[in-house]
Amino acid sequence: MKTKINITIIALLALILTIVPLAGCNNNASEPDETTTVVTETDAPEPTSDLIGEGLKAAMLLPGPISDIGYNGPAYEGLLRIESELAYEISYAESVDPADYENVLRTYAQEGYNLIFAHGNQFLETVTIVAEEFPDTWFAVTSAFTTNEKNISGMNLSSHDVGFLSGALMAQMPDVDKIGMVSGAEIPPLVMIYDGLRAGAAYINPEVEIANVYTDARADMAACKEAAVALLDSGSDILSTTAGTGAPGVISAAADAGKYFVGNSSDWSSVDPETVLNSVITDWGSAVVNTATLYAKGELQPIPYMNGIVEGAVYFLEYGEHALEVIPEEVLSRMDTIIEDIKAGKIIIADEVAALPEE
Amino acid sequence: MLIELTGESALDTYKVLFEGAFIGKNNLSETLIKSSILLLTGLSYAFVAKVGLINIGAEGQLYIGAACSAAVGIYGTFLPGALHLIAALLAGFVGGMIWGGIVGFFKERFGANEIITSLMMNYIAILVVSYLVHEPMKDMSQTYPYSYRVATSAQLPRILTGTRLHAGLFVALLCLFFYWIYYRYTSSGYRMRVIGQNRLNAEYAGYNVRKNMFAAMAIGGGFAGLGGALEILGVQFRLFDNFSSGYGFDGIFAAILANLHPLGMILTSVVFGGLRNGGLMIQVKTNVSSTLTSVVQSLVIILVLMRIFDRLPIWGKKHSNQSLRKRSSD
Amino acid sequence: MDLVLSFLTSVIRQTVPILYVALGVLVIQTSGILEMASEGKMLLSCFITAIVAFYTGSAWIGLIVGTLATGIIGVIYIWLIQEFHLNQIIVGLSFNTLALGITSLLFRQKYAAVMEMNPILPTFEFRPAGFSIPVYVAFLMVPLLSLFLKRTTPGLKIRSVGENPRAVESIGLSVKRVRYMSGFLGSLLIGIGGAFFVLGVSGIFAENMTSGRGYIAMTAVSFGKFTPIGTLASVVLFGTGDALQYRLQAAGNIIPHQFAQMVPYLMTVIALVVFAKNPNSPSSLGKPYYKSR
């Protein structure tokens, strides 16, 4: 019996040996692919960027897959941009398990990475511990509103702003009495978008009702579509979602019912330009590039950086042709006023959110 | 040819995997931390498999065990010293036991298919934990939905300075030892084995099959719950959404690959723990994408299952080998 | 009335792809193979169908190619199990991880960039009474499959192989051949399920898009006591639970959303406890078969 098992184990180890070469081979084959697309993307706008990141190494920890839409994906693209535009040497770990946060952070720090991005508030506690041990390494934590004031920066995009803009637009559309929201998960950034949406809608019309549905781990298109249909059945007149990759399902449900959709995180209009009124863009990529640029210049401070509408990191896209046809003129001009007011400090979104009634 | 073309990078990748898994104090400790939990979830499968049932609910039992031990770890601060830790560990065991016991009870009383119920109970457990960390147990000082931190008196002591390796390793080994003794030397363990081998025979012999099945499910669940306790009291110190990432299922792999044999389970758990940690290090230190790592890992498992190495030297002996192995493992 | 109709449509939309997969699993399980790989097969079918439909612009070509490819994959899978006597649980679960890894890898490196430009795949154009043809076929499949398994020779062969392979061997039939056949037919059905899921339900491909539906289908089969009608009933039950939980949430904050989300799982457990007195599974299910000498 014992020998049998040993054979299995030896086989296992031997097989790892034989198979990993395959892995290496695939990797090599694919790498040129990735770099070429990056080069073509970035060539056009900034052909002569100064390579201030030369000799610096940046790493990124992502809680989800780099291929998602709106959160991990854009951050990863930002990482690729600091490689091509600033000449950082980069590495990343995607879908990192909570149990491994400490291990991965420490390994990156030991490997001599100068700037480590941890994309999510859930990393903050562990980063704070590891940052003590590596005072020469700089950490940038997403959605961190407090730091250790030594070598951690907070890299924040205001989720409240995102929600506020979409809520304000949705509540102004004709015949909207109830807004339906498909939430991806009950985690701070998404809850904050939802709160911002409530505040934005309440700013326009306190009478507007808002219904919210959480999808579970299966937050995919099919599940989100069912959630959206349930919202429409309960009387929602317009939809939004924070479920990332599930958004096309919500859009398709809205389209089937002849209702409209306001998106966030990414440009959703290509999915269905007749249903998607507009999308609020959260530019994580630029946030990453800005942080890396500041670091390379030696100007990065250990404070929470906040990027929102005022800083130009959260914004509506240009309205599409079809959207311009269906959105009334006065709504468009009021939206412009609202955005100007926010930028001028006449509307403080945080106060609007704080004034919301408990749910 | 392939190796020659890409030899260097491939070899490096392999080196990173192996080093990430086993070389260096830190890597080895990380591997062992993972292995001890895999060992426990594996035990929860193995213990139940011996009576002929299939328990794929280790993941859910682990979640509930974690929740219970976190609750004791956070709120049981009135307990003195080591008693607090022991109580927290026990709570994990009891939590898993209840969750496994429910499945066992449905099987015993209603004949409900344990594969399906245990699978469904996984989903339910994950949602229960999600509710707990969002509402009753949420630490209000945190933005992210975490429970409060487990009190220091309930945290497992680190056994190797400079690493996260904690005393949970001994807990896991102790459980394995119990499993080995129980099925090898005790009469009730013998009864359970008989039931697993042939239910009809066992009934003729007058054994209470259903009661034994229930007991096995409960104890198996307890092991997985203890795994959850280790994760909370030794590594995470807080309870939160989706903290486990499939320990339950990997543990089952490890148990089956080892044919439920205690020593084999140590080896497979360590290998699987190593694969997890080494795979992580591949991501961290090279540019190989994680999807590729998962492809490679599953290919490895399938190929090992195919037992190519057994087949190569003695082609014809396959059948006798197989049946022999089945016997001896039982 | 509208609400009821919308609820039913919701249930049907959820049900059809899972029903196909479940019926496929049923055919394979009936021949005594423990089919754990349906999740991976479904995902592979989604992927192949999406690529083919995207490049040909035809939903039907996508469906046919995706289905046939899944059938072939099914045969290879049966070959693995039969020739190497693998543990069917582990190889199934690993196969699913493998399928997830391969589809994600290929999608990321080759197709994601292209398909982002125009993510919506072609759909089935002809829709009498609001549903496309595969929806009707799915429900028609249930009685047809019932007849096939009970009344036709190949169906009987599949069943007897599942019940008592040794007896089948003794009257001179090849157990392996029958299992290859059931593996192929079943995988075809799983293939249709995946193809319809990507084209008819989601209309877009995404990583891990099946997210557990293959397992739900598998559950539905044993839950439906290994009959097509029972399988249909349990798939519909789960679909109802899911449609119900979203409506519970949309109605307002009555209960914490986690408890609403538990509804489909709780319904399954309860139904199992109430109905599952005699699990009617094929006797040789999951046991590797060794040809007698």
Side-chain angles (χ1 to χ4, degrees), chain B residues 186-227:
Chain B
T186 72
S187 60
S188 64
Y190 174 76
R191 275 202 294 277
M192 285 192 179
R193 268 164 58 205
V194 172
I195 292 169
Q197 270 158 5
N198 193 330
R199 196 170 303 179
L200 285 178
N201 279 355
E203 269 166 12
Y204 283 133
Y207 299 156
N208 188 339
V209 172
R210 293 182 359 184
K211 204 167 160 189
N212 273 301
M213 283 181 167
F214 170 69
M217 273 307 299
I219 296 173
F223 285 140
L226 209 50

Side-chain angles (χ1 to χ4, degrees), chain C residues 97-111:
Chain C
T97 327
L98 186 67
L100 175 60
I102 285 181
T103 51
S104 306
L105 194 68
L106 288 176
F107 186 66
R108 280 183 191 184
Q109 293 192 339
K110 291 263 182 280
Y111 304 104

Side-chain angles (χ1 to χ4, degrees), chain A residues 35 38 51 78-90:
Chain A
T35 41
V38 168
L51 306 173
L79 189 71
L80 292 180
R81 271 175 61 196
I82 68 173
E83 183 187 32
S84 58
E85 291 173 16
L86 309 175
Y88 270 88
E89 188 186 330
I90 59 160

Side-chain angles (χ1 to χ4, degrees), chain C residues 27-49:
Chain C
V27 172
I28 301 175
Q29 304 249 45
T30 309
S31 73
I33 301 279
L34 187 62
E35 169 67 1
M36 293 288 281
S38 49
E39 172 82 8
K41 286 179 185 169
M42 188 181 174
L43 187 60
L44 282 170
S45 167
C46 286
F47 180 70
I48 297 166
T49 307

Side-chain angles (χ1 to χ4, degrees), chain A residues 15-16 19-24 26-27 30 92-95, chain B residues 13-14 16-18 21 250 271-302, chain C residues 94 97-102 104-106 108-109:
Chain A
L15 276 162
I16 298 166
I19 285 178
V20 169
L22 255 172
N26 275 359
N27 178 43
S30 67
Y92 72 95
E94 62 178 326
S95 305
Chain B
T13 314
Y14 161 69
V16 170
L17 176 73
F18 187 76
D250 281 7
V271 168
F272 270 83
L275 274 177
R276 270 181 170 235
N277 212 44
L280 189 72
M281 286 303 134
I282 287 187
Q283 257 210 74
V284 172
K285 294 189 178 172
T286 71
N287 281 320
V288 180
S289 97
S290 67
T291 47
L292 198 67
T293 324
S294 74
V295 168
V296 171
Q297 288 187 6
S298 41
L299 267 177
V300 168
I301 296 169
I302 292 179
Chain C
S94 320
T97 327
L98 186 67
L100 175 60
I102 285 181
S104 306
L105 194 68
L106 288 176
R108 280 183 191 184
Q109 293 192 339

Side-chain angles (χ1 to χ4, degrees), chain A residues 136-153:
Chain A
D136 297 332
T137 308
W138 203 284
F139 298 84
V141 182
T142 302
S143 310
F145 306 111
T146 53
T147 73
N148 68 349
E149 291 165 11
K150 280 180 250 163
N151 55 346
I152 300 178
S153 300

